[in-house]
Amino acid sequence: MKLNIGCGNDKRDGYTNLDISPDVHPDVVADITECIPFRDNTFDEVLCNNVLTQILFPQTFVQVMNDLWRITKPNGCIYIRVPLVTNPAAWQDPLDCRRFTDQSFTYMQFGHRRYEQYGRHYGFKPFIVEVIDNNNIQMNVCLKPIK
């Protein structure tokens, strides 16, 4: 199964399309900062395209990342796209409140010194982090839960 979080008008065939807004007519209306309403180990693939930038509070960000870990199967992948902080586009959306660098996901990367020193303490579940693309404008990563 596949999940497209924050689908907006980019609803995809073969995916369960989830959005906070009922106006875009997603398959599921939900606020991921409250709870991602699916059972553990449900999805092989999860898309989060420019969604994580809108999570305000650090504790909520940890909760969302751990919920993504929870709903993704052990061999699944969470595909995340975020604009990089050095890109002016990272600052233009008035609802974006979280910024990312090319090192941000190392705090969730099992075995990385940032995960060991900080991420574990912050409460992040462990992931294998694979950078798919970093063009200095945006970054695409695949997070694979370690369970």
Side-chain angles (χ1 to χ4, degrees):
M1 291 187 62
K2 299 178 181 181
L3 177 63
N4 180 15
I5 294 181
C7 66
N9 292 316
D10 182 25
K11 290 186 272 314
R12 297 183 181 209
D13 291 336
Y15 288 78
T16 299
N17 294 285
L18 179 149
D19 202 279
I20 193 171
S21 173
D23 297 340
V24 298
H25 308 289
D27 302 315
V28 177
V29 175
D31 180 350
I32 64 167
T33 66
E34 299 290 324
C35 179
I36 302 176
F38 299 101
R39 289 187 219 156
D40 297 0
N41 304 314
T42 300
F43 296 99
D44 298 297
E45 181 178 308
V46 178
L47 299 180
C48 292
N49 187 1
N50 294 308
V51 172
L52 300 179
T53 55
Q54 297 185 0
I55 299 172
L56 179 59
F57 299 110
Q59 304 89 331
T60 306
F61 182 74
V62 172
Q63 171 194 317
V64 168
M65 294 309 299
N66 288 346
D67 235 9
L68 290 170
W69 182 94
R70 178 186 62 77
I71 66 167
T72 305
K73 291 180 180 178
N75 292 321
C77 186
I78 304 160
Y79 291 100
I80 296 172
R81 175 180 292 158
V82 292
L84 292 171
V85 69
T86 53
N87 176 11
W91 299 92
Q92 70 188 19
D93 188 329
L95 294 185
D96 282 358
C97 49
R98 180 162 301 284
R99 308 291 180 242
F100 293 87
T101 74
D102 61 349
Q103 297 297 305
S104 294
F105 293 100
T106 61
Y107 288 80
M108 295 157 242
Q109 185 174 342
F110 182 76
H112 193 282
R113 65 181 173 82
R114 287 190 186 97
Y115 176 76
E116 300 303 329
Q117 287 182 305
Y118 304 106
R120 200 186 288 264
H121 172 72
Y122 296 159
F124 286 115
K125 299 285 188 183
F127 290 96
I128 295 170
V129 178
E130 297 175 359
V131 176
I132 298 168
D133 179 53
N134 176 353
N135 62 9
N136 294 318
I137 295 171
Q138 64 185 10
M139 184 169 64
N140 294 293
V141 298
C142 169
L143 302 184
K144 296 180 178 182
I146 296 176
K147 298 187 178 189

